[in-house]
Amino acid sequence: MSDYISLNIEVTDNCNLNCSMCDQAISGGLPHGNEKGYISKDTWNKILDSLEGFDKEIHISAFWLGEPLMHPEFESLIRTAFERNHKNHLFRDLKIHTNGVLLSEKRTDAILDCASMQGLSPDTFTFLHCSIEAVKPETYKLIKGGDFLEIVKANLLHFLDMRAKRKLSFPKLTVAFIVTEENREEARDFLETWSRVFKKRGLEFQVTGDWPPKLMDTIYFRRLNSSDQEAADMLHQEVLSRLNITSGRIEESF
Ligand code: SF4
């Protein structure tokens, strides 16, 4: 039995992209099969109330089948959660998966304000996971259904620079590349591009083909979940071999 509790809180099932591998696209835009929405502040607060008194650590993922940064009150939701979490009595950590399109300066500020809040463990805002899938804008558009690659990259660079400016180590950043037929030839370029980003900033990071083994900045070549899983696994393995990620995970540090 697990000695902690993982809790996914879907702040919205809306998304501003339409990635070909996602339930958003596969379901025709209705991942839950009914009307989409946003969590209310009241429900968010009730969930936080309900975390009082557990004898196990609570690990929150503030997303599920949508893009959390689309929530119009995203900043307020996370600020409330962190302000109420004195001494981590409600949750041990919180993480977000995002496509990064709406990671504006204002939202980055809110995230870093939460990450630097006093009275909490410094790794409470554990990581941001951003799935990018491409180096070329046309590949990005083909896979993700929007023309936002340069915006995403600029947002993530700003996030890294602001994190450094505030002398924070968290949240860690994962840049992910789900391996598909459409992007397989860009995998090396993706590795080199994001390696340069991390190296230029003197950041320790890992490169992995499996769920990130350590809590650190990460370049993650992810296996596609597919109806033809055998083919997707072979393609993933072929890319990992080509990039010399022989055991599924390697690390670089400085
Ligand atoms: S950004 Fe995320 S939630 Fe939105 S379509 Fe892509 S994978 Fe799905």
Side-chain angles (χ1 to χ4, degrees), residues 13-25 64-68 97-100 131 133 143-144 178:
D13 55 353
N14 284 285
C15 188
N16 49 352
L17 290 179
N18 197 36
C19 303
S20 55
M21 71 291 281
C22 176
D23 281 350
Q24 291 280 349
W64 185 235
L65 296 180
E67 168 51 47
H97 286 222
T98 172
N99 58 41
S131 207
E133 273 76 79
I143 296 174
K144 304 191 73 78
I178 300 175

Side-chain angles (χ1 to χ4, degrees), residues 68-91:
L69 301 191
M70 281 190 78
H71 196 295
E73 296 182 288
F74 171 80
E75 297 94 304
S76 168
L77 295 180
I78 59 167
R79 282 187 200 280
T80 302
F82 278 75
E83 281 162 6
R84 291 189 55 187
N85 193 30
H86 189 61
K87 292 190 176 171
N88 294 84
H89 77 289
L90 294 179
F91 56 93

